[in-house]
Amino acid sequence: MKKSILSAALLATPIISNAAGFALIEQSGSGMGNAYAGAAAVAEDASTIFFNPAGMTYIQGTQVVGALHLIRPQGEFNDEGSVGGLGRPRGGEGGDAGGLNFVPNFYYKRDISDAVKFGLGVGAPFGLKTEYDNDWLGRFQGIKSDLKTVNINPALAFKVNDQLSLGFGINAMWIQAELTSAVNLVPLGGTESKLKVKGDDWGFGYNFGAIYQVTQDTRFGLAFRSKVDQKLRGDSDSPFTTLDANPNQRLNGDVTAETTLPETLSFSGFTHLDDRWDLMGDVTWTRWSRFRELRVLRENGSTLTVTPQNWDNTMRYSIGLNYKYSDTLKLRAGVAYDEEAISNEFRTVRIPGNDRKWLTFGAGWQATPDTKLDIAYAHLFISDPEIDDNQVAIARGRVRGDYDASVDMLSLQVTHNF
């Protein structure tokens, strides 16, 4: 597999999904303080390139934004009658599948003219990391699941008139996925081995948006991000080359896997209530129903592994407040409800997510006339995910129980105007 210098720079530490499915909404440090409420209408800084490129018309001059999100998810499995793989030791509960991770963002915006703006955003819109103990009871269904993305997003914005702004961007997205699990080599006397599948690909999409200034104090934003089709190419690797003499049972060799990263549609509102208070809200739809199965194919077209998914489309709702404490200090707060795409029937050990409730706080400090610092904290209350994945018939055991899960996040951002 070819390595990407860009991925090494941006993703040296694994990331874990914190929104529905394996989406990452953590694309702004300033927005985190409001739980990303009003993200398609706020247009406070150049991170609007991701949420709604039309918002660049509200930013004067040249601006650079850098953000870093420290993420500590916790996910511990509680066994309730699981069955180990055929003929193998059962194993433990897997330990904490989380760990300390980070997600970075970078944005650059400049004026082409009074009415036309250019911007460039680099971030990670999707990501996933779960990793259990190697000898846990569900190892035949999954040990490590690691998905990384890097998205490069050049964009243009146009100020049509004093009320309407439009924006459009192109997205070039790199994806890499690595899946490991134990395999039960039944034809070889029940020998247990390990399988690693890894692949990557580039895909392309677009995003566009509009902001309408209803009054001097109130505006609404509508933003769309397209799907991105990916066909990952890589290889599978195991100490045992095959399950038996059948070439359709080979464990080592070139593999492919197709996936579609879903489109999203957001509607946001932002209003100045008075000289000190701002109110914002957001509703976002994501088309996760595109994710029907996870299938990895060998070079000859036979299936190496397949896992049904059958995800549902999701909605995310958020509301936030800003309080202007002084000319240099702004305080933020927000709440959100984020639906999960995965039903109890199709939940797997690789993505054991569930509905999330967000509670966030933040502050923005204008350190100098040209430089602003933002800090935000979020706690995600995750409804205990239940799982009953019965794969005894194919020698992968049955994982039955629930998870204790939560996420804590700290975001830091620097915004500088030239």
Side-chain angles (χ1 to χ4, degrees):
M1 300 302 303
K2 294 182 178 179
K3 301 290 185 180
S4 168
I5 295 175
L6 182 59
S7 71
L10 292 180
L11 297 164
T13 300
I15 52 184
I16 188 162
S17 173
N18 297 304
F22 46 86
L24 291 170
I25 196 174
E26 294 83 5
Q27 305 299 321
S28 163
S30 55
M32 174 73 81
N34 301 122
Y36 299 101
V42 172
E44 181 170 334
D45 53 54
S47 64
T48 190
I49 294 167
F50 178 86
F51 296 102
N52 187 347
M56 288 190 288
T57 63
Y58 287 80
I59 303 167
Q60 300 301 314
T62 300
Q63 186 179 95
V64 173
V65 174
L68 181 66
H69 312 275
L70 304 177
I71 302 172
R72 178 57 173 96
Q74 180 265 336
E76 295 185 351
F77 175 68
N78 302 305
D79 177 38
E80 296 178 358
S82 300
V83 178
L86 181 63
R88 305 307 304 164
R90 184 171 173 277
E93 294 183 332
D96 188 352
L100 182 61
N101 312 279
F102 74 75
V103 176
N105 322 127
F106 170 80
Y107 302 96
Y108 169 79
K109 177 266 168 188
R110 64 169 298 170
D111 295 340
I112 295 177
S113 68
D114 290 342
V116 182
K117 318 293 180 178
F118 168 79
L120 175 68
V122 181
F126 298 91
L128 168 72
K129 175 72 185 295
T130 55
E131 188 167 8
Y132 303 89
D133 297 339
N134 286 329
D135 60 351
W136 87 295
L137 60 85
R139 61 192 180 278
F140 296 99
Q141 297 187 18
I143 298 174
K144 180 181 179 180
S145 306
D146 189 357
L147 182 145
K148 301 179 178 73
T149 59
V150 175
N151 188 59
I152 302 171
N153 186 183
L156 290 172
F158 308 88
K159 190 174 181 63
V160 179
N161 53 45
D162 290 341
Q163 289 182 297
L164 179 63
S165 297
L166 303 176
F168 177 81
I170 300 294
N171 293 271
M173 191 180 302
W174 175 81
I175 185 173
Q176 182 188 77
E178 177 183 337
L179 306 175
T180 67
S181 63
V183 289
N184 217 339
L185 306 178
V186 178
L188 301 178
T191 303
E192 181 177 331
S193 186
K194 193 172 183 180
L195 175 67
K196 180 174 76 172
V197 179
K198 191 173 183 179
D200 66 356
D201 186 39
W202 281 91
F204 299 90
Y206 59 89
N207 62 310
F208 63 82
I211 294 180
Y212 188 75
Q213 192 75 38
V214 182
T215 69
Q216 182 177 353
D217 294 324
T218 302
R219 56 183 175 266
F220 294 103
L222 185 68
F224 177 80
R225 297 189 70 85
S226 76
K227 67 175 183 176
V228 178
D229 292 320
Q230 306 273 11
K231 185 173 183 178
L232 288 78
R233 301 179 185 275
D235 54 41
S236 61
D237 179 66
S238 176
F240 285 82
T241 60
T242 185
L243 292 176
D244 55 33
N246 186 342
N248 287 339
Q249 296 296 315
R250 289 187 60 83
L251 296 176
N252 293 343
D254 295 336
V255 296
T256 61
E258 295 185 7
T259 189
T260 298
L261 304 178
E263 58 266 59
T264 62
L265 180 66
S266 298
F267 177 72
S268 297
F270 174 85
T271 185
H272 293 291
L273 297 175
D274 56 33
D275 291 342
R276 291 191 177 272
W277 291 95
D278 301 327
L279 174 66
M280 59 215 71
D282 181 88
V283 178
T284 294
W285 169 84
T286 304
R287 193 178 179 181
W288 279 115
S289 60
R290 292 187 176 278
F291 194 34
R292 310 309 298 170
E293 65 177 16
L294 177 60
R295 183 181 294 269
V296 180
L297 299 177
R298 298 181 179 88
E299 190 176 18
N300 63 8
S302 63
T303 297
L304 177 65
T305 65
V306 59
T307 305
Q309 301 294 335
N310 298 309
W311 286 12
D312 300 318
N313 297 332
T314 63
M315 299 294 292
R316 185 181 191 274
Y317 310 91
S318 58
I319 188 168
L321 283 170
N322 290 336
Y323 176 70
K324 187 178 180 182
Y325 181 82
S326 68
D327 289 342
T328 59
L329 181 62
K330 182 185 293 185
L331 304 179
R332 313 177 194 273
V335 294
Y337 178 72
D338 197 359
E339 293 180 346
E340 183 52 78
I342 310 163
S343 64
N344 288 347
E345 181 182 1
F346 294 102
R347 186 170 289 113
T348 70
V349 301
R350 295 199 181 278
I351 312 177
N354 209 351
D355 297 344
R356 299 157 171 83
K357 301 176 183 69
W358 291 59
L359 178 63
T360 70
F361 304 96
W365 176 46
Q366 194 70 43
T368 74
D370 297 322
T371 302
K372 181 167 70 76
L373 305 177
D374 280 281
I375 186 170
Y377 167 77
H379 181 78
L380 276 60
F381 302 87
I382 302 179
S383 302
D384 291 345
E386 297 180 357
I387 185 171
D388 189 358
D389 194 354
N390 190 346
Q391 300 185 36
V392 171
I394 53 176
R396 294 181 183 171
R398 179 183 184 181
V399 178
R400 185 175 186 272
D402 61 24
Y403 288 83
D404 293 326
S406 63
V407 181
D408 291 284
M409 294 184 285
L410 180 66
S411 296
L412 307 170
Q413 178 174 303
V414 178
T415 302
H416 185 73
N417 292 278
F418 294 91

